Amino acid sequence: MRKILFSRDSECIQPIRDLIEKQYHKTLVLWALDCAEIYLSYFEKNRPYENRTRIVLETARLWAKGIVKMPEAKKAIHAAHSAASEVGDKTKNSASVMAAGRAIGHAAATVHVETHALGVVFYGLTSQYYAAQEGQEEITVNEELDRMYQRLVYWDQNMKSYKGTWATFLDNETLPNKETLLRLKIQDKSAQD
């Protein structure tokens, strides 16, 4: 099975991609970790003795607060991706579980840089697609896209009331959104070709 079914060019993700590009890094961190909870639940249901995906989300939350440093977080992210890879993708179910694990890894990596937020979208939707009943894939993907979009709207509107602490590198709201910069770089490259 194909490991990932969506990309930055996928038409269906353009509304959430546009919204992601308008967010502060902190908002995307809260959103990604929030979205990852549904994938964690699904992953653990299918891999009940695997704890690396849970550990990476806990580590990412501590990293976002400045309690954990990047080397420890990076190690946890790699471990979560390894846990996902170990599932394999030979069947629809295993492909779905593997994609859920990868969505979790990208949610944690969003603490590092905004461009990982779309990884949550790509792998989350892939997981939902493979988990959907036969003939319900498009409906399931659209429902998940709507859920993700609504959660991002929620965090955008409620960011100011969030009472948590932040690592210094996340607390600077003057930096440009890296996903926006990546889109501009891709557009410039296309224009030159």
Side-chain angles (χ1 to χ4, degrees):
M1 306 212 145
R2 251 180 94 198
K3 290 184 179 180
I4 187 168
L5 302 174
F6 302 88
S7 72
R8 281 180 172 79
D9 296 328
S10 299
E11 187 64 34
C12 67
I13 68 114
Q14 296 314 304
I16 198 164
R17 182 182 182 192
D18 292 342
L19 188 57
I20 284 171
E21 290 180 2
K22 295 174 184 164
Q23 303 307 312
Y24 290 117
H25 193 168
K26 294 187 293 191
T27 305
L28 291 174
V29 167
L30 291 173
W31 169 80
L33 296 175
D34 179 14
C35 282
E37 288 299 326
I38 194 170
Y39 306 119
L40 178 64
S41 176
Y42 180 70
F43 191 89
E44 288 181 334
K45 178 180 149 196
N46 286 275
R47 305 281 289 188
Y49 301 107
E50 177 57 72
N51 67 353
R52 290 175 284 182
T53 51
R54 178 169 291 280
I55 289 169
V56 77
L57 291 181
E58 292 167 0
T59 303
R61 285 184 179 90
L62 295 173
W63 186 20
K65 291 178 181 181
I67 296 168
V68 165
K69 299 295 181 197
M70 185 176 188
E72 184 179 346
K74 187 175 177 181
K75 183 178 173 183
I77 291 166
H78 287 296
H81 281 295
S82 292
S85 293
E86 290 166 12
V87 174
D89 63 351
K90 302 286 189 232
T91 67
K92 276 185 73 175
N93 183 64
S94 62
S96 176
V97 175
M98 184 174 76
R102 294 214 181 275
I104 294 164
H106 278 280
T110 300
V111 176
H112 179 242
V113 67
E114 297 99 316
T115 54
H116 284 285
L118 276 176
V120 178
V121 176
F122 305 152
Y123 285 103
L125 294 179
T126 298
S127 176
Q128 294 293 304
Y129 178 90
Y130 286 131
Q133 291 182 353
E134 191 74 32
Q136 297 297 307
E137 294 90 353
E138 187 176 340
I139 292 168
T140 302
V141 164
N142 287 335
E143 287 173 351
E144 183 61 5
L145 267 170
D146 185 57
R147 182 187 78 85
M148 289 176 167
Y149 191 92
Q150 293 308 318
R151 292 311 299 158
L152 187 48
V153 168
Y154 169 84
W155 283 112
D156 179 45
Q157 293 173 347
N158 291 282
M159 187 63 213
K160 297 231 186 284
S161 63
Y162 178 73
K163 302 289 185 216
T165 59
W166 292 102
T168 306
F169 73 94
L170 286 171
D171 218 13
N172 184 350
E173 294 184 351
T174 63
L175 299 174
N177 180 298
K178 303 289 189 303
E179 187 62 41
T180 302
L181 294 177
L182 180 59
R183 184 192 293 251
L184 293 172
K185 183 178 178 180
I186 292 168
Q187 287 173 345
D188 286 347
K189 187 173 177 358
S190 293
Q192 291 174 2
D193 290 344

